[in-house]
Amino acid sequence: MTVLDLAAPERVRGGATEFRLLGPVVVHDGETGAGIMPPGPKQRALLATFIIHAGELVSVDRLVEELWGDRPPANAPNALQAHVARLRRLLPAPGHEWISTLPSGYLLTPGHASTDVARFALLSGQGRAAVPEDPQYATELLGRALSLWQGPALQDCRRGPICSAEADRLDEQRLITLEALYEASLSCGRYAEVVSGLERLTADHPLRERFYDLLMVALYRGGRQAEALGVYERARRNLITVLGVEPGPALRARMEAVLNQSPALAKPRPRHPDLAAEVSQLRTRIEQLVRDQEDLLRRVQDEEAGGR
């Protein structure tokens, strides 16, 4: 997978329900393969809130604030109860009680269900850890993590405090993952390949210094020193205009390294592509075997539970 090939979706374990927040709020029914999207932003916000706090009691007051803000209806608890009832009817696997009603609120019990947020966090963490020693493998993991995103996190239900805070957190994690992906790609010698993507990212996030930093390295290694210095000046103008501050020490150090043609900016030494490919393929096969074993164990457990 190249740095630009982020469209291939991650495989979901057969039969498992997955709650998805990295884009529209959707429930993926693993049995049928269908995607269930609650109708209306309030229903989606309610489901998203339950997913964010899966396994935790969420009080009626917090849920009312999440759905209606400071303008709740006169019969807010009853209106909330009606939304919960409709949501219960939408969720798959009728043998599992997803949402429990408790004296002071509601509780989502996820059971064997997974979330795309958890898969993203796992892949992103593994990929970022692999960047220094195995950047090729890191690009594969980070690309897979980013392929889970189908739009802005918690799309169209980001108004309440719970969903808004979670969406902001996920957006930040996505940017951190993108930074790691481009860093790994540069370590693999793909400096020409990443320039256009980094140009877009600096335009979309004009105050994020790390993207300017990576773009300067990519341009410099491509023999475009003057353009790399121009990127620094663009970053400096944006930061001064919007925040009234100069670039931070890391970006200033990068500018000085480019200006002085520092040996530290030299193109990475060629790695052993055949060996790296074999190691990557072996890791992929091991991961597949682990997933298959987990699927088999889950089916056996479900059959045993059904026979009781």
Side-chain angles (χ1 to χ4, degrees), residues 125-202:
Q126 291 175 337
R128 285 182 282 121
V131 170
E133 298 298 328
D134 193 345
Q136 176 61 45
Y137 183 51
T139 62
E140 295 174 11
L141 291 172
L142 296 166
R144 285 164 54 190
L146 291 163
S147 75
L148 295 171
W149 287 72
Q150 302 300 311
L154 289 89
Q155 190 169 313
D156 95 341
C157 60
R158 304 171 64 146
R159 294 182 180 178
I162 295 173
C163 289
S164 176
E166 179 67 0
D168 290 344
R169 185 188 73 82
L170 291 170
D171 287 344
E172 175 64 18
Q173 290 302 306
R174 178 177 178 273
L175 293 176
I176 290 171
T177 303
L178 278 167
E179 290 170 350
L181 175 63
Y182 281 97
E183 179 184 351
S185 299
L186 286 171
S187 295
C188 292
R190 299 173 184 167
Y191 41 88
E193 186 179 332
V194 303
V195 166
S196 61
L198 286 168
E199 288 282 12
R200 287 193 300 271
L201 286 167
T202 57

Side-chain angles (χ1 to χ4, degrees), residues 66-145:
E66 190 68 23
L67 298 190
W68 291 284
D70 58 0
R71 294 185 177 182
N75 59 344
N78 290 338
L80 175 62
Q81 187 177 35
H83 277 298
V84 171
R86 285 194 289 271
L87 194 56
R88 282 190 176 114
R89 291 193 291 270
L90 281 174
L91 295 176
H96 177 70
E97 184 181 3
W98 291 104
I99 304 171
S100 303
T101 303
L102 301 174
S104 58
Y106 297 91
L107 170 70
L108 174 71
T109 303
H112 293 307
S114 61
T115 66
D116 59 352
V117 171
R119 286 200 291 147
F120 169 75
L122 177 63
L123 288 166
S124 176
Q126 291 175 337
R128 285 182 282 121
V131 170
E133 298 298 328
D134 193 345
Q136 176 61 45
Y137 183 51
T139 62
E140 295 174 11
L141 291 172
L142 296 166
R144 285 164 54 190

